[in-house]
Structures are given as structure tokens and as C-alpha cells.
Amino acid sequence: MYRLEELEVYELALKFSSDVWALVSSWDTSLREHPGAQLTAAADSISANIAEGYGRYYVRDNIKFCYYARGSIMECKDWLRKCAFRQLIDTGESERLLKNLSTLHARLNGYIKRLRKNLQSGVLNNSK
């Protein structure tokens, strides 16, 4: 079995949350509190859920936490769109972050697909 840090989807999620943190930390206090805190929490939740699922013994639990991460991706998309509409971030930055999020979403779906294949093959735990 590979280490969590070797999962591309996890590394992409960490990078994305760092990018969001860098963006939000430059805002004034009131914007950092809202919507910045919401956006940051959603972004952090993606890698956190991937990590928690990875740490679970059973593949079904891993998949469940990947679904939570996928929900956080959609929440991030919503917050990024709101921030763009409210002109808190410029169009170029918004498009860059949304593109990175789409790539992350696709990689997460691929990871879920691989986990499902493991289940179909009779692999029930994450240790294999």
C-alpha cells in the first residue's frame, strides 16, 4: 500500500487549500470572517476528508469520505462564484481556482472509481 502523501488527489487538494488560504489571508478582517472562513473551511475539508477516508480500515468508509470531499468541492465552487460575483476576486483568479477545482474533482472521481473496483474485486479493506 502507498502512503497518503503519494496520492495525487490528496496532494492536489492540499495545494488547492493552500491557494485559497493565500487568497483569503490577504483580505481585510471582515471579509476573512465571512465569506473567507467559509471558503477556507470548505477547501480544507477536501484534503481532510480524503485523509480521513484513507485512514479508515474499510474501503466502503474510504469511499464515503471521498463523497464528503466531493461535496466540499461543490461548496468551494459555490463560494468562489459568490466571491467573483461580489468582486472579491478578479475574473482571472476565479477562473484559475475553478479550473484547479475541476481537475481535482475529476481526479477524486477517478480515485472513487478505483476504490469501487477494489470492492468489486473483493478487496474490503484499505491495507491492500
Side-chain angles (χ1 to χ4, degrees), residues 13-25:
L14 276 178
K15 171 78 170 93
F16 178 77
S17 65
S18 293
D19 289 347
V20 166
W21 178 258
L23 172 71
V24 170
S25 65

Side-chain angles (χ1 to χ4, degrees), residues 52-65:
E52 185 164 355
Y54 181 89
R56 297 291 175 130
Y57 183 72
Y58 294 105
V59 174
R60 286 187 199 281
D61 287 338
N62 195 346
I63 293 170
K64 178 174 65 174
F65 280 91

